[in-house]
């Protein structure tokens, strides 16, 4: 298990073909741009996943309206694999109760652009997440 985690951490340290410029590893704890959800990323088998570790009362209420009763612990990022320039997988949008194709791209040393798309990538929305040492406290 530890060997798998180390292999995943190594694979996700830099995207394929990355330059020597510092880029964000997707491993860690991330806060969305609204400060309403914190996600901790880690290995899930040989892929990268992310689980909600904190959410504001408003985010939890929005998720309940979308049919998600227990937002904390929900897997938000699913089965991401490294590609050139980032990682691809599936993002779950709790307030919609749906999953979408997604790409994560590093932004500097402490940022990730998380993009979710529909219609085979014709319509996309993205957010810039920032690394945090710990999730906010309620």
């Amino acid at each position: 298990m530890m060997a798998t985690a180390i292999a995943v951490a190594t694979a996700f340290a830099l995207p394929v073909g990355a330059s020597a410029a510092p880029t964000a590893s997707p491993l860690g704890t991330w806060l969305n741009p609204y400060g309403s959800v914190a996600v901790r990323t880690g290995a899930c088998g040989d892929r990268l996943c992310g689980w909600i570790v904190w959410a504001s009362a408003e985010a939890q209420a929005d998720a309940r309206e979308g049919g998600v009763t227990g937002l904390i612990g929900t897997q938000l990022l699913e089965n991401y694999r490294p590609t050139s320039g980032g990682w691809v997988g599936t993002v779950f949008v709790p307030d919609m109760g749906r999953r979408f194709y997604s790409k994560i791209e590093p932004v500097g040393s402490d940022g990730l652009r998380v993009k979710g798309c529909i219609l085979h990538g014709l319509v996309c929305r993205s957010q810039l997440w920032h690394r945090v040492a710990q999730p906010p406290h309620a």
Side-chain angles (χ1 to χ4, degrees):
M1 184 69 159
M2 182 60 122
T4 300
I6 291 170
V8 170
T10 302
F12 287 106
L14 287 174
V16 175
S19 68
T23 59
S25 162
L27 300 176
T29 303
W30 303 90
L31 190 62
N32 74 351
Y34 309 107
S36 60
V37 173
V39 174
R40 182 164 297 129
T41 57
C44 53
D46 64 347
R47 302 289 174 108
L48 175 81
C49 295
W51 299 267
I52 297 174
V53 294
W54 176 85
S56 69
E58 183 179 343
Q60 292 183 52
D62 288 346
R64 277 192 296 278
E65 288 178 16
V68 177
T69 56
L71 188 57
I72 307 301
T74 296
Q75 188 174 5
L76 193 75
L77 305 175
E78 302 172 338
N79 298 314
Y80 283 78
R81 61 182 170 73
T83 64
S84 61
W87 304 269
V88 295
T90 304
V91 63
F92 176 64
V93 180
D95 56 347
M96 297 176 73
R98 296 186 55 201
R99 289 168 174 75
F100 299 96
Y101 167 82
S102 174
K103 185 169 185 176
I104 297 174
E105 300 169 330
V107 177
S109 60
D110 286 322
L112 291 178
R113 182 168 318 283
V114 180
K115 183 177 1 179
C117 301
I118 60 173
L119 301 173
H120 303 288
L122 293 176
V123 178
C124 299
R125 293 185 73 181
S126 68
Q127 293 182 347
L128 182 58
W129 292 5
H130 294 281
R131 186 184 307 276
V132 292
Q134 295 185 56
H137 297 285

